[in-house]
Amino acid sequence: MPRLRVREDNADRLWEAYYQAGDLIVVNLLWVVTSLPVITAVPALGALFHATNRLAHGGSAGWRVFWEGFREQFWLSWRWAAINAAAFGVLGVNVWFYGQVDADWAGAVQTAFVILLALWGELTLFTFPLLLEQSDQRFVTALRNSAVMLLRQPGPVLWAVLLVLAVAVPSVLILPPAWIIISGSLCAYLANRAVVQAIRALAEASR
């Protein structure tokens, strides 16, 4: 029954995304346009998460909500991006470096860094949605809560990751224009929806 429940929850996410497709397309287009100057790409991503968080809570989103997120999450999004850039940079450099080392043990160390890189990518997918839900908006708290979600709600979390990959990978390899229309907002929505459902499930389990 738990597997069936996980599939039902994720099917519900997709159906909700279908019914909210109009809002998702609007905020996706706004995200693309506001990212064009490049320097505004980070707060634009924060605004995208802000708007899709509103949708994940059953509300509506449009240009006003997007602009609200752009202003309110401006510095938070830069802090989130800077930490992730540093982490991905350090882990990526280590993966490359140990790939150049001609030693029997180097392959094992490189594999360990690849695993850490994948784990960081999985955890950080949910850190910004968690920052939006937390009263304590410290990144380390969001990262810890993301790890707690993975440990205590592994099924829904991993399904959400798979759904995001199912949207992102074909959009990159097969249909890049989809990023202009809906792919970005759909990925952000799925991450937000997973966080909202995990918080509710954990709250019910603690009663």
Side-chain angles (χ1 to χ4, degrees):
M1 291 304 292
R3 288 186 179 179
L4 179 60
R5 180 60 184 169
V6 168
R7 290 172 184 171
E8 287 175 350
D9 287 343
N10 284 279
D12 289 342
R13 288 179 209 167
L14 291 176
W15 275 112
E16 288 172 9
Y18 172 78
Y19 286 117
Q20 294 172 324
D23 285 342
L24 288 172
I25 291 171
V26 169
V27 297
N28 200 95
L29 291 172
L30 289 168
W31 166 60
V32 171
V33 171
T34 52
S35 296
L36 290 177
V38 180
I39 195 171
T40 59
V42 169
L45 184 59
L48 181 69
F49 273 108
H50 177 92
T52 52
N53 177 267
R54 189 71 58 85
L55 291 172
H57 279 282
S60 59
W63 71 268
R64 284 188 175 87
V65 175
F66 185 90
W67 178 242
E68 172 188 275
F70 192 95
R71 289 183 292 105
E72 291 184 3
Q73 315 306 336
F74 187 89
W75 295 114
L76 182 66
S77 59
W78 273 111
R79 180 155 50 92
W80 174 78
I83 293 171
N84 275 297
F88 280 117
V90 169
L91 292 171
V93 166
N94 276 282
V95 170
W96 172 84
F97 175 78
Y98 286 104
Q100 311 305 308
V101 175
D102 186 16
D104 293 337
W105 53 267
V109 177
Q110 184 188 37
T111 300
F113 275 106
V114 169
I115 292 171
L116 286 173
L117 188 64
L119 182 60
W120 182 270
E122 182 175 339
L123 293 177
T124 201
L125 175 64
F126 305 106
T127 53
F128 202 90
L130 281 164
L131 287 169
L132 296 176
E133 298 291 332
Q134 297 171 182
S135 55
D136 177 6
Q137 290 193 317
R138 289 181 296 177
F139 183 88
V140 66
T141 304
L143 190 63
R144 182 196 65 197
N145 289 337
S146 185
V148 169
M149 277 178 52
L150 179 60
L151 292 172
R152 297 184 60 183
Q153 296 283 317
V157 170
L158 293 175
W159 268 107
V161 172
L162 290 175
L163 286 173
V164 169
L165 290 175
V167 173
V169 173
S171 297
V172 170
L173 300 178
I174 301 172
L175 195 62
W179 286 107
I180 299 173
I181 302 170
I182 197 170
S183 294
S185 61
L186 183 55
C187 289
Y189 171 81
L190 291 170
N192 271 298
R193 194 74 183 91
V195 166
V196 170
Q197 288 190 337
I199 290 172
R200 289 173 182 169
L202 292 171
E204 291 175 2
S206 64
R207 290 175 185 172

